[in-house]
Every structure is written in structure tokens, then in C-alpha cells.
């Protein structure tokens, strides 16, 4: 047996977004049903290098009812793996290296054989977009056709790629202080969408808004969104980061990916620590909506219009911190696709063929 090495290009090529979204949806369901094991993210602080390492392991067992995939045995699927990721802010200037680099080890749960070693950075972008798509599918108005994006960095591309899989997006407004990044984004998508640069408010008045910035001072206020805008707050991944104004959050229906992570390092971490938001202000976790234990928006995500009173209304916010179960789910898709198409670089990592 050989281990498949998949670099960034191979991950990008084999991460079919429709399948990644389905797998991530299944991961949320497994987590909610108690069919996943996800230890807390662990940190190794390296103050002498102004950086840190983080390890994110997970195992998940997805039931047949929670996936659209047709598996060989007719049942669901399980998967296991760990992502090893860093944050070294001095890297670009001092070493000509990225600030964040990730490596994913994807293993066979039955034997523990390392099936693949993947670029975790590209994988993270794909699964983050997929998580926003799952939330959008359950929380955005069903006839959403416009998407706003605040922040035109690399994550903005997979936000559009993924959300367009679950809604018929026609108009896209992207807002960023860097005009060159806005121009590059428009150039990448102008043949598929009516896409233009605009203000934060113009982006926020779209049916769906994704915020993908690292700011600590909120840049989206309550007047910057529409009456029914669904917001994917994707930028906050550390204590102190905060993209959305507190009043916007207190008036919105807040859905989170994981309570511990979100209250510590998600979009709600700052107002939660200050007591502006409490547990009572959190509607629920996305997994609860995916499996039907809480209602999503009426007419979307399995909530029929006839049950409109059971669905959420107005502005909704999905606070996404990124979970290890999402990485494992996405890695499974990439590995299966690459294995089927003879992509990547197989090698005898354990020396079993000699």
C-alpha cells in the first residue's frame, strides 16, 4: 500500500465543491448526533519565534441518511485525520514564507494506514467555503440571487464558489480597501457573474453576505445589511477578532459551528466576553439545524413555507471558526477523487513494499 501525496494544486483540482459541501454537511450532522470525536484544538506557543502550532484531530461516522453520496456498500462513511497548522506572522517578511501553512494527514479508521498527506491550506479554504454554503442553504432566503463579500483575499474566491452551489447567485458585490484585490476578484469571475466592487453597505445589502477579514474593530454595522440578509462571519479565528457590530449581533439570529470555539475565538468572542452577548442570544449550532432539531429559515433547508412560524426570520449570522471534522470530511473527498483519477504522488511512506 502507498500513501498519496497531494500538493496545493492537486487538492484544488480534486476538491469538487458539490461533494465537499455534502461531506461537510454530513460532518455537522455526525457531530450533532454524537457520531464524531473531535478533541479540543491544542496549541504550542512559540514566543521566541512569534508563532504557534495548532493540532486539529477528528473522527466522524456519517450515517447514510445524512449524505447524498452513494457509497459502495450502500451505507454511510467514516473518516479520520489530523491537521497540523501554524501561524507565524513574521514569515512573509523574514523568510519569504506564508504566515499560515497547514498539513493534513488522512488515515483509514479501520487500519490507521496513512492514506494521504495533503496541503492543508488549500483544503482549509475549500472546507471553509463549504461550511458557509451549508449555513447559507439553511439560513438564507430560498430565492437569494445576490452575494456580498467583505474582504477580497484568497478565502473570498471559495466563498463565491461554494455559495453559488446552493443558491442561484447572479449579482456579486465585493468590498475591500485594496483596489487591486477587488480588480483581481472581478476579473476572475466576470465571465460567470454580474460582479463589481462596492462599499461595505452595498455588499451587506445583498441577500447573502460573507465577511472574510482579520479585523479587530467591527466594520459591518446594523445599517450595512438588509432586512433579511444572511451573514457568514468567517474572519474571526482568534480572541479579539471582531467583524460585526455588537448591535447587529444582538438583533440578529446567531447560529454557531461550535459553542466552545465560537465563544473563545469566533465572531461572538468579544461581545460574549464583555457580557454583551450571553448563551441566551445564541439560537443554536448549525448541526442542530442540519439534522432538524432546530428550524432554519422558512422555505430553506427543509423548512417548508407552510411552517413559516417555525423558521427564523430577519437577519441571520453564522459564526464559523472552522472545525477539524470539516477538514477530515473535505480530505476524504479530495483523497477519493484523486485516487479514482490517478492524481497526486503515491509513495511508500511506511516502507511496506520493499
Amino acid at each position: 500500500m502507498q500513501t498519496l501525496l497531494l500538493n496545493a494544486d492537486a487538492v484544488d483540482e480534486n476538491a469538487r465543491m458539490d461533494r465537499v459541501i455534502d461531506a461537510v454537511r454530513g460532518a455537522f450532522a455526525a457531530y450533532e448526533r454524537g457520531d464524531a470525536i473531535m478533541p479540543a484544538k491544542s496549541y504550542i506557543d512559540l514566543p521566541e519565534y512569534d508563532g504557534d502550532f495548532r493540532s486539529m484531530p477528528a473522527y466522524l461516522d456519517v450515517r447514510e441518511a445524512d449524505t447524498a453520496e452513494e457509497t459502495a456498500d450502500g451505507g454511510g462513511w467514516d473518516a479520520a485525520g489530523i491537521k497540523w497548522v501554524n501561524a507565524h506572522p513574521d514569515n512573509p517578511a523574514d523568510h519569504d514564507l506564508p504566515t499560515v501553512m497547514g498539513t493534513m494527514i488522512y488515515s483509514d479508521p479501520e487500519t490507521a494506514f496513512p492514506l494521504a498527506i495533503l496541503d492543508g491550506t488549500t483544503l482549509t479554504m475549500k472546507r471553509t467555503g463549504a461550511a458557509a454554503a451549508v449555513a447559507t442553504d439553511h439560513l438564507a432566503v430560498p430565492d437569494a440571487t445576490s452575494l456580498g463579500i467583505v474582504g477580497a483575499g484568497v478565502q473570498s474566491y471559495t466563498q463565491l464558489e461554494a455559495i453559488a452551489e446552493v443558491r442561484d447567485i447572479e449579482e456579486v458585490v465585493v468590498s475591500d480597501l485594496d483596489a487591486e484585490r477587488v480588480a483581481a476578484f472581478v476579473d476572475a469571475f466576470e465571465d460567470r457573474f454580474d460582479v463589481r466592487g462596492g462599499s461595505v453597505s452595498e455588499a451587506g445589502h445583498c441577500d447573502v453576505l460573507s465577511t472574510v477579514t482579520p479585523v479587530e474593530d467591527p466594520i459591518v454595522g446594523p445599517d450595512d445589511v438588509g432586512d433579511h440578509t444572511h451573514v457568514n462571519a468567517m474572519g474571526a479565528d482568534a480572541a479579539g477578532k471582531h467583524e460585526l457590530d455588537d448591535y447587529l449581533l444582538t438583533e440578529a439570529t446567531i447560529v454557531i459551528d461550535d459553542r466552545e470555539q465560537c465563544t473563545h475565538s469566533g465572531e461572538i468572542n468579544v461581545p460574549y466576553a464583555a457580557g454583551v452577548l450571553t448563551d441566551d442570544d445564541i439560537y443554536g449550532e448549525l448541526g442542530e439545524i442540519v439534522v432538524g432539531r432546530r428550524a432554519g429559515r422558512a422555505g430553506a433547508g427543509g423548512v417548508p413555507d407552510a411552517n413559516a412560524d417555525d423558521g427564523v426570520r430577519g437577519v441571520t449570522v453564522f459564526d464559523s471558526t472552522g472545525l477539524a471534522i470539516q477538514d477530515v470530511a473535505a480530505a476524504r473527498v479530495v483523497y477519493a477523487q484523486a485516487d479514482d483519477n490517478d492524481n497526486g504522488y503515491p509513495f511508500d511512506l511506511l516502507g511496506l513494499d520493499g
Side-chain angles (χ1 to χ4, degrees):
M1 296 179 66
Q2 293 196 318
T3 301
L4 200 57
L5 179 64
L6 299 164
N7 64 14
D9 289 339
V11 172
D12 183 54
E13 179 182 353
N14 291 285
R16 275 191 47 180
M17 187 54 78
D18 58 337
R19 293 186 179 180
V20 175
I21 292 170
D22 179 66
V24 168
R25 192 191 308 269
F28 276 116
Y31 190 44
E32 173 61 24
R33 296 189 194 281
D35 294 330
I37 301 171
M38 187 178 68
K41 184 189 301 184
S42 64
Y43 291 80
I44 298 176
D45 290 321
L46 303 169
E48 64 270 38
Y49 300 118
D50 190 25
D52 64 62
F53 287 115
R54 307 159 191 195
S55 63
M56 301 173 63
Y59 166 78
L60 57 153
D61 185 1
V62 176
R63 302 182 186 182
E64 181 180 7
D66 294 325
T67 177
E69 180 182 345
E70 295 183 4
T71 54
D73 59 4
W77 51 267
D78 66 348
I82 183 170
K83 186 170 73 174
W84 178 245
V85 63
N86 77 292
H88 281 62
D90 296 335
N91 267 0
D94 295 349
H95 305 288
D96 196 26
L97 287 170
T99 298
V100 176
M101 295 174 284
T103 301
M104 184 77 193
I105 301 173
Y106 176 67
S107 302
D108 181 347
E110 182 178 3
T111 66
F113 185 84
L115 296 170
I117 299 174
L118 309 83
D119 168 56
T121 304
T122 304
L123 188 77
T124 299
M125 290 191 295
K126 297 292 184 177
R127 61 84 153 149
T128 304
V134 173
T136 298
D137 198 25
H138 287 272
L139 295 169
V141 292
D143 58 351
T145 58
S146 59
L147 170 64
I149 302 176
V150 177
V154 292
Q155 183 59 61
S156 62
Y157 291 75
T158 49
Q159 288 292 303
L160 176 50
E161 178 189 358
I163 290 169
E165 289 281 344
V166 299
R167 289 295 186 272
D168 293 326
I169 299 300
E170 299 172 1
E171 177 188 5
V172 181
V173 181
V174 59
S175 180
D176 195 294
L177 295 176
D178 189 328
E180 290 185 0
R181 295 208 301 185
V182 171
F185 184 92
V186 171
D187 183 63
F189 290 107
E190 62 184 353
D191 61 335
R192 296 171 52 194
F193 304 95
D194 177 11
V195 56
R196 63 181 176 85
S199 67
V200 168
S201 184
E202 288 174 303
H205 278 82
C206 292
D207 298 319
V208 182
L209 171 67
S210 287
T211 59
V212 284
T213 71
V215 299
E216 296 187 358
D217 293 320
I219 53 176
V220 182
D223 295 333
D224 292 323
V225 298
D227 293 337
H228 62 238
T229 301
H230 167 64
V231 184
N232 296 303
M234 315 302 289
D237 60 356
K241 291 188 177 181
H242 192 20
E243 297 183 291
L244 310 182
D245 181 86
D246 287 355
Y247 186 72
L248 190 163
L249 289 169
T250 59
E251 294 299 305
T253 298
I254 299 173
V255 175
I256 59 180
D257 59 6
D258 176 76
R259 186 172 299 270
E260 182 177 351
Q261 286 196 188
C262 286
T263 55
H264 174 267
S265 57
E267 177 56 37
I268 65 172
N269 84 89
V270 174
Y272 188 88
V276 175
L277 291 177
T278 69
D279 289 339
D280 291 339
D281 296 304
I282 300 171
Y283 178 69
E285 295 187 356
L286 182 57
E288 295 178 88
I289 297 175
V290 168
V291 302
R293 291 174 179 167
R294 288 190 183 273
R297 191 178 295 268
V303 181
D305 288 319
N307 295 333
D309 290 342
D310 296 330
V312 299
R313 299 177 179 177
V315 176
T316 53
V317 172
F318 172 52
D319 183 356
S320 173
T321 57
L323 305 179
I325 55 171
Q326 300 167 15
D327 295 307
V328 171
R332 179 182 179 276
V333 172
V334 172
Y335 169 73
Q337 185 78 5
D339 191 47
D340 287 346
N341 292 280
D342 294 325
N343 293 330
Y345 308 92
F347 68 108
D348 186 16
L349 176 68
L350 302 185
L352 301 178
D353 292 343

